[in-house]
Structure formats: C-alpha cells, structure tokens
Amino acid sequence: MLPETVSPADGSADKPLAEVLVGEAVLVKPGQAVPTDGVVLGGHSAVDESMLTGESMPVQKAHGASVFAGTTNQSGVLTVRVMRLPSESAAAQRGSCGRKQRRERLC
C-alpha cells in the first residue's frame, strides 16, 4: 500500500503522491511505505522488502542504495530521490505481470 501523500525533502508542505516528479527528493519516515522506486540520498534505516522478495529480514539502506515503492521503512528517516513514478515502479510491474498471467491462464 502506497501513501496518499509525501513529504518533500525541501521542507515544503506535504503533497499528494500523484504530484511527485522524477528527480524530486522526498522524506520517508519510520513506519511509512516507500512511495516510489528511488535512490537513498541521506539517512540510514532498515527496510522491509518482503512484499517484493519474500525475504523476512529487513535490508539495511544508506546513501546510494535502491529502495522500492510499497516496501516499509522501519527505523530511520530516509531522503530518497524519485527514480520512477509509482505507476512505473517494480511493484506495479510485478502486479501487472501477475494479472497478465492470470488472464492468459483463464483464456
């Protein structure tokens, strides 16, 4: 589940996820879902990626690490540069692949 709003890293007011642009920096606070696929610019945290990978152990993230939409930030605040819009994210592609496979089996 993606958040409805995001916190821009520049300190401006929260805005709807639909208004986020590629290249923009956003904050991901503890307990929040990562809103988009991106790269960590600052901070460090453990991120639960089990919804993508099935791995139950959180993955440590710091500067330069990739993060993925729909995964959950667990401990620290991350500053993330948006690399893909939510509709283009790894989670969205995985979901559309699953829907396509189900349709093909039903036909």
Side-chain angles (χ1 to χ4, degrees):
M1 181 65 112
L2 298 179
E4 292 182 17
T5 61
V6 296
S7 300
D10 65 6
S12 58
D14 288 1
K15 64 183 187 177
L17 179 58
E19 294 179 11
V20 171
L21 303 173
V22 171
E24 187 171 357
V26 298
L27 297 177
V28 184
K29 299 172 185 167
Q32 288 184 330
V34 176
T36 67
D37 289 359
V39 175
V40 176
L41 297 175
H44 60 277
S45 184
V47 175
D48 177 355
E49 296 182 340
S50 61
M51 58 82 67
L52 281 179
T53 66
E55 174 60 52
S56 62
M57 295 297 294
V59 179
Q60 294 298 315
K61 302 291 183 174
H63 180 78
S66 295
V67 292
F68 304 98
T71 59
T72 304
N73 182 22
Q74 295 198 327
S75 54
V77 176
L78 296 173
T79 302
V80 175
R81 177 157 326 277
V82 175
M83 301 303 288
R84 289 189 198 134
L85 299 176
S87 61
E88 302 166 348
S89 69
Q93 291 173 10
R94 182 175 178 191
S96 66
C97 178
R99 285 189 295 275
K100 180 180 177 186
Q101 289 174 345
R102 285 190 297 274
R103 276 195 313 269
E104 289 174 357
R105 282 190 213 140
L106 295 174
C107 295

